[in-house]
Amino acid sequence: MGRIKQFGKNLYENRIWLLMTLPGLIWLIVLKYIPMFGQVIAFKDFRFHPDGFLASVIHSEWIGFENFKFLFSTNDAFIITRNTVLYNLVFIVVGLILAVAVAIILSELTKQKLAKIYQTGMLFPHFLSWVVVSYFVFAFLSVDKGLFNSVLGLFEIDPVSWYNEPAYWPYFIVAVSQWKGVGFSSIVYLAAIVGIDRTYYEAAMIDGASKWQQIWNVTIPMIMPLIIILTILNIGSIFSADFGLFYQIPRDSGPLYPVTNVIDTYVYRGLMTMGDIGMSTAAGLYQATVGFILILVTNYIVRKIDEENALF
């Protein structure tokens, strides 16, 4: 009884803060937790029922793991899995390096107004939709009037049909992804760097440390816990891909499927052509389950190495 009273007292004392988190909690429950009951569709041959969605779920036939078998029985199963995992690995590594580097550079700028201008300019692409970004990319890669082919024309080189050449697109995908996301990612690290106690740097300067030595021996170690936590969370989404990046940027070009087709785009195309909701739900459940397992495994490894830096 005493614990219940203490719990109620804590709720009352923190009522203002709890009310502030209420909209986010409602959003999380409505859009994240309630839809989890729909995962049962992954194990059913989903068919629409006249009485509505709930009746459709109840009356659809149980087929076990048939949807999962169908998802990975095609010739594209290896390609989409490989592309999804490898792209995300590159995004994690390259994104981490660039975000930390940009955050350190911005923190070292002495003119605050200039730093804010740079930060705003780098953050702006994050708020652009992939549809808009795809037109920016098309302005560079268009066969007739694209900037790249215009430059090649100056050197009397034949224009390249970029949207039919898969060899170039892994680089384009990575470059566009980092251009759009690195500014937003660097904000978290910049906030952590700004919060570092300046006495550490003063002590390093007294010891004769150069600017690079201060960064390597003070800045990076101080933000390492944050780097580890964010990396663990990113590893959890390694089987999920940004649909807009892989669908809008290549403009759904068929010749580029070997290097741009990922699990998300594959499921979307399957859903649009066959209307197989069960298969798409199975893919989503597969991605979420693998991501959850990867988070647990990665966190377990980190906890064994350094328990203080583990996520939980």
Side-chain angles (χ1 to χ4, degrees), residues 150-224:
S150 297
V151 173
L152 292 177
L154 296 176
F155 296 94
E156 298 182 353
I157 300 176
D158 293 335
V160 178
S161 181
W162 301 102
Y163 289 94
N164 293 315
E165 297 291 339
Y168 303 104
W169 276 89
Y171 306 101
F172 292 155
I173 292 292
V174 173
V176 173
S177 172
Q178 298 311 308
W179 171 79
K180 191 175 187 294
V182 70
F184 184 81
S185 301
S186 65
I187 291 179
V188 181
Y189 296 110
L190 179 60
I193 294 172
V194 172
I196 297 175
D197 192 342
R198 305 308 300 178
T199 57
Y200 291 108
Y201 295 100
E202 294 172 0
M205 287 187 288
I206 293 174
D207 291 337
S210 64
K211 181 60 68 176
W212 170 249
Q213 290 173 328
Q214 293 175 37
I215 293 172
W216 186 253
N217 295 292
V218 177
T219 304
I220 294 180
M222 293 298 291
I223 65 174
M224 186 56 66

Side-chain angles (χ1 to χ4, degrees), residues 46-57 59-60:
F46 186 82
R47 293 290 183 268
F48 286 103
H49 193 274
D51 293 336
F53 175 78
L54 185 59
S56 300
V57 174
H59 291 93
S60 295

Side-chain angles (χ1 to χ4, degrees), residues 4 22 45 72 87 99 125 127 150 152 154 162 179 186 220 248 252 279 311:
I4 297 177
L22 186 60
D45 182 16
F72 294 104
Y87 273 120
F127 298 100
S150 297
L152 292 177
L154 296 176
W162 301 102
W179 171 79
S186 65
I220 294 180
Q248 296 291 347
D252 197 24
M279 188 267 288
L311 182 60

Side-chain angles (χ1 to χ4, degrees), residues 7-310:
F7 178 73
K9 182 179 179 181
N10 290 336
L11 289 179
Y12 180 78
E13 291 177 350
N14 296 282
R15 60 189 182 281
I16 301 300
W17 311 113
L18 292 173
L19 286 174
M20 292 176 62
T21 62
L22 186 60
L25 179 62
I26 294 174
W27 176 88
L28 189 67
I29 293 174
V30 173
L31 297 182
K32 296 295 183 180
Y33 283 96
I34 293 179
M36 288 178 66
F37 295 100
Q39 298 297 333
V40 69
I41 298 175
F43 305 96
K44 288 196 167 192
D45 182 16
F46 186 82
R47 293 290 183 268
F48 286 103
H49 193 274
D51 293 336
F53 175 78
L54 185 59
S56 300
V57 174
I58 295 174
H59 291 93
S60 295
E61 179 186 357
W62 283 95
I63 57 174
F65 291 93
E66 291 300 319
N67 285 322
F68 295 90
K69 292 179 182 178
F70 176 78
L71 176 63
F72 294 104
S73 63
T74 62
N75 296 329
D76 296 327
F78 171 75
I79 294 176
I80 62 176
T81 303
R82 178 202 64 189
N83 290 345
T84 304
V85 173
L86 291 182
Y87 273 120
N88 279 316
L89 285 175
V90 174
F91 293 161
I92 291 173
V93 175
V94 176
L96 172 62
I97 295 173
L98 290 179
V100 172
V102 169
I104 292 174
I105 293 172
L106 291 176
S107 68
E108 294 295 331
L109 292 177
T110 55
K111 295 183 179 180
Q112 293 300 315
K113 290 185 178 179
L114 192 60
K116 290 181 179 179
I117 293 175
Y118 288 150
Q119 186 175 345
T120 303
M122 298 189 67
L123 184 62
F124 177 72
H126 173 76
F127 298 100
L128 297 176
S129 71
W130 283 117
V131 176
V132 175
V133 176
S134 69
Y135 283 102
F136 289 166
V137 175
F138 185 72
F140 284 88
L141 303 181
S142 173
V143 177
D144 300 327
K145 300 180 180 179
L147 179 61
F148 285 0
N149 281 335
S150 297
V151 173
L152 292 177
L154 296 176
F155 296 94
E156 298 182 353
I157 300 176
D158 293 335
V160 178
S161 181
W162 301 102
Y163 289 94
N164 293 315
E165 297 291 339
Y168 303 104
W169 276 89
Y171 306 101
F172 292 155
I173 292 292
V174 173
V176 173
S177 172
Q178 298 311 308
W179 171 79
K180 191 175 187 294
V182 70
F184 184 81
S185 301
S186 65
I187 291 179
V188 181
Y189 296 110
L190 179 60
I193 294 172
V194 172
I196 297 175
D197 192 342
R198 305 308 300 178
T199 57
Y200 291 108
Y201 295 100
E202 294 172 0
M205 287 187 288
I206 293 174
D207 291 337
S210 64
K211 181 60 68 176
W212 170 249
Q213 290 173 328
Q214 293 175 37
I215 293 172
W216 186 253
N217 295 292
V218 177
T219 304
I220 294 180
M222 293 298 291
I223 65 174
M224 186 56 66
L226 178 63
I227 291 175
I228 294 174
I229 290 173
L230 293 181
T231 301
I232 292 174
L233 295 176
N234 287 332
I235 290 176
S237 59
I238 202 170
F239 266 72
S240 299
D242 192 327
F243 176 80
L245 172 63
F246 291 96
Y247 185 80
Q248 296 291 347
I249 301 303
R251 305 179 76 85
D252 197 24
S253 176
L256 303 181
Y257 284 177
V259 294
T260 62
N261 202 13
V262 291
I263 295 177
D264 299 74
T265 56
Y266 177 80
V267 171
Y268 172 78
R269 294 186 183 105
L271 184 62
M272 294 299 293
T273 56
M274 296 180 294
D276 195 340
I277 297 178
M279 188 267 288
S280 62
T281 306
L285 181 58
Y286 164 71
Q287 290 175 306
T289 303
V290 173
F292 178 69
I293 294 173
L294 286 174
I295 287 180
L296 293 179
V297 172
T298 307
N299 186 76
Y300 175 79
I301 295 173
V302 172
R303 191 169 66 247
K304 285 296 183 181
I305 298 174
D306 187 356
E307 187 173 355
E308 294 183 356
N309 289 331

